[in-house]
Every structure is written in structure tokens, then in C-alpha cells.
Amino acid sequence: MASELPSMTLKAIGIVRSELKQPARQDCKEIVSDIVIDSSLTEALDNLDDFSHIIVLYWMHRATNRQVQTKVRPMARQEIPLLGLFSTRSPNRPNSVGKATVRLLRRQDNILRVEGLDAIDGTPVIDIKPYIPGYDSVTNAKVPLWITNQ
Amino acid sequence: MASELPSMTLKAIGIVRSELKQPARQDCKEIVSDIVIDSSLTEALDNLDDFSHIIVLYWMHRATNRQVQTKVRPMARQEIPLLGLFSTRSPNRPNSVGKATVRLLRRQDNILRVEGLDAIDGTPVIDIKPYIPGYDSVTNAKVPLWITNQ
């Protein structure tokens, strides 16, 4: 089947500027970063600040040099058994696209200041979408114990 | 700045099989589809069914032939003024990556049966992630009136 699966080329629309310089297993909820969007797309950011939160898709460029493992131990927690890669948020994926939901603090021209982005300084940004609760969130979602116990 | 922005190549990990054959502005919440993942990645789907919902990143292949407009009218609703592209979920984006949160009905080997996926038959899938409420959802998110009035 692999031979039938298409490839596609993406071009970054911007870059993250953050105090986070290395990938870290830390809580990023309070980190403030700037997303600098290519100035040719400044106008496409209009009206975004009518939303309190945005979804950022980004390219986890540091993760792409490693070989992908189909079984991983999330966050290197030894008490968790090996899990299927797609049941985790491990950055080391076949396509290293990260997805974060962050608070939009301010938009100024082509720069978005956001809170809670877990992407390191220099991360290429692929897309920005408005966060729409009725579409993006789920009530009463079920998760396994290794998530609730972290 | 555009010249500094990197490009990256993605390879689809699977394909959507759906009764939805054409892009439609319809409510897809009840549509049941199958995501057929490349069989080399079957093992990477283990443990995913411990989650009730998953996030699907996909390539909106029908949208990529059109020229990107920085201002759009969402869902062709004439009563809405032109809005900045990134404040909408228009598929016609610089990088046509779609993101949907769907209910996982069943995983059988390399096939995920899901409910609520708004991707048409044949859509290439880029990534599958578990939906984690504390990370992926926001309480009291603010959205503009054109969202709440739809």
C-alpha cells in the first residue's frame, strides 16, 4: 500500500520565537512566544483576534532526524508500558507535525503573541486556525489512566 | 522573509474511505468513515482505542489547485464581510492541512472507523493523535458572532 500513498510539499508560513530553546518535558502553559508570519500573509491574519484561542500546526524539526519507532514510552516514563506511537503525542512521528491550542494574547501586524505554545525557538509554522469550541472540543472524552495520572 | 522559510516533505500514512465523495458544506457529525493506515504502521495504532476521540490531520488535496486568497468569505455566506484567511477554516490555505476531532468507533488492525470526519473519500491522512482534553480543549473560549450565529 505504501507505494500508493502520496507525498506533499509544505512551505512554512512563519517561525516561532520563544525563550524555549530546547525540547523539554515541561509544562508550557505559561510560556509566552511570538509567531512571526511571513509578511506577504499579514492581511490573512485580519480578524483572528476576534478569537481568544488559536490552533497552531508546526513542524517539529528537531524530531525529524531520528528513526521512527512504532512503539514508544511516553515522556520516558518507565512505569508506562510501550505504547503504539499514534496513541501518544511523541514528536518522533512519520510526519512530525505538532498541534497546539494556545491563547492569543495580541496580534500586531504579522506577529502573533501567544501563551502556552510548546514549540521551541525557530520552529517552522505550517498553519494557524481559529479555535472553535463546537468543532474542536469534545465533552466527556475518555482517556486512559496513564493520561489522567500524569 | 519568505526565502528563509523552510519547505518540508510529508508522506501520507493512510487514506480516508468515506461516503462523502465531494467537498460539502454539510454537517458531518454523523458520517462514519474508515481511515486505512499503511500496514507497515499497524503496530503504531496499538492502545489508540483506549481513547474515545482522536485528532486526524489530513491533506485537503482538492483545495491545493486553487490560488490562495488572503481574504475569504467563510462558507460563502454573503452576510459575512471578507475575513482574513487564518481567522477561518477555509480549506484553501497556504498549506492545506485539515484538522478534525472525531469519535473513534473501532480499531481493527490497520483500519480506524471514526464518526464525524469531514474529509472526502480518498483524502490522504498525515497524522493521527489521541485527543487529550486538558491539552486540546479550552474552557470559555471567545469566538466572534459569525461563528455563534451559524
Side-chain angles (χ1 to χ4, degrees):
Chain A
M1 176 181 179
S3 59
E4 304 161 31
L5 291 170
S7 293
M8 37 254 160
T9 302
L10 275 57
K11 183 158 173 39
I13 61 165
I15 294 286
V16 172
R17 291 295 165 220
S18 172
E19 65 188 67
L20 200 64
K21 304 294 181 196
Q22 296 291 333
R25 293 189 186 88
Q26 67 182 83
D27 185 350
C28 295
K29 278 188 180 155
E30 294 186 356
I31 287 187
V32 173
S33 336
D34 283 340
I35 301 173
V36 183
I37 300 290
D38 187 80
S39 55
S40 69
L41 293 167
T42 300
E43 202 179 59
L45 296 171
D46 287 353
N47 313 102
L48 190 61
D49 48 11
D50 290 340
F51 294 83
S52 62
H53 291 77
I54 60 175
I55 293 169
V56 183
L57 299 183
Y58 54 96
W59 183 245
M60 298 182 284
H61 58 307
R62 293 284 188 88
T64 52
N65 295 329
R66 282 179 256 155
Q67 199 181 351
V68 172
Q69 307 288 333
T70 54
K71 296 276 184 167
V72 298
R73 212 178 292 278
M75 299 161 285
R77 282 166 59 188
Q78 293 303 318
E79 79 278 17
I80 302 178
L82 283 169
L83 300 173
L85 171 65
F86 293 126
S87 75
T88 78
R89 299 293 277 253
S90 165
N92 194 18
R93 319 175 76 77
N95 296 306
S96 296
V97 178
K99 177 232 155 243
T101 301
V102 299
R103 181 181 292 276
L104 178 60
L105 298 176
R106 190 178 71 194
R107 177 240 167 156
Q108 200 163 34
D109 300 326
N110 64 326
I111 300 177
L112 304 173
R113 179 153 291 179
V114 299
E115 185 182 63
L117 183 59
D118 55 0
I120 63 170
D121 188 57
T123 297
V125 174
I126 294 170
D127 198 11
I128 301 286
K129 299 180 190 291
Y131 175 81
I132 303 174
Y135 182 72
D136 294 308
S137 70
V138 166
T139 47
N140 301 321
K142 187 188 80 170
V143 299
L145 275 177
W146 69 267
I147 294 283
T148 42
N149 288 349
Q150 69 184 318
Chain B
M1 176 180 178
S3 60
E4 304 162 32
L5 292 171
S7 295
M8 38 253 160
T9 302
L10 275 57
K11 184 158 174 35
I13 59 164
I15 294 287
V16 173
R17 292 295 165 220
S18 172
E19 66 189 67
L20 201 64
K21 304 295 180 195
Q22 297 290 334
R25 291 189 187 90
Q26 67 183 81
D27 185 349
C28 296
K29 280 188 179 155
E30 295 188 355
I31 286 185
V32 173
S33 335
D34 283 340
I35 301 173
V36 183
I37 300 292
D38 187 81
S39 55
S40 69
L41 294 166
T42 301
E43 201 179 61
L45 297 170
D46 288 353
N47 312 101
L48 190 61
D49 49 9
D50 289 339
F51 294 82
S52 62
H53 291 77
I54 60 175
I55 293 170
V56 183
L57 300 183
Y58 53 96
W59 183 247
M60 298 182 284
H61 58 307
R62 292 282 188 90
T64 51
N65 294 328
R66 285 178 255 155
Q67 201 181 349
V68 172
Q69 308 288 333
T70 54
K71 296 275 186 169
V72 298
R73 211 178 291 279
M75 298 160 286
R77 282 165 58 188
Q78 293 303 319
E79 79 279 13
I80 303 177
L82 283 169
L83 300 173
L85 172 64
F86 292 127
S87 75
T88 78
R89 299 293 278 253
S90 165
N92 195 18
R93 320 174 75 79
N95 296 307
S96 295
V97 178
K99 177 234 155 241
T101 302
V102 299
R103 180 182 294 275
L104 178 59
L105 299 176
R106 190 180 71 196
R107 177 239 166 159
Q108 198 163 35
D109 300 326
N110 65 325
I111 300 177
L112 304 173
R113 178 153 291 178
V114 299
E115 185 183 62
L117 181 59
D118 55 0
I120 63 169
D121 189 59
T123 298
V125 173
I126 294 169
D127 198 12
I128 301 286
K129 297 180 192 291
Y131 175 81
I132 303 174
Y135 182 73
D136 294 305
S137 70
V138 165
T139 47
N140 302 321
K142 188 189 79 167
V143 299
L145 275 178
W146 69 266
I147 295 282
T148 40
N149 289 347
Q150 67 184 319

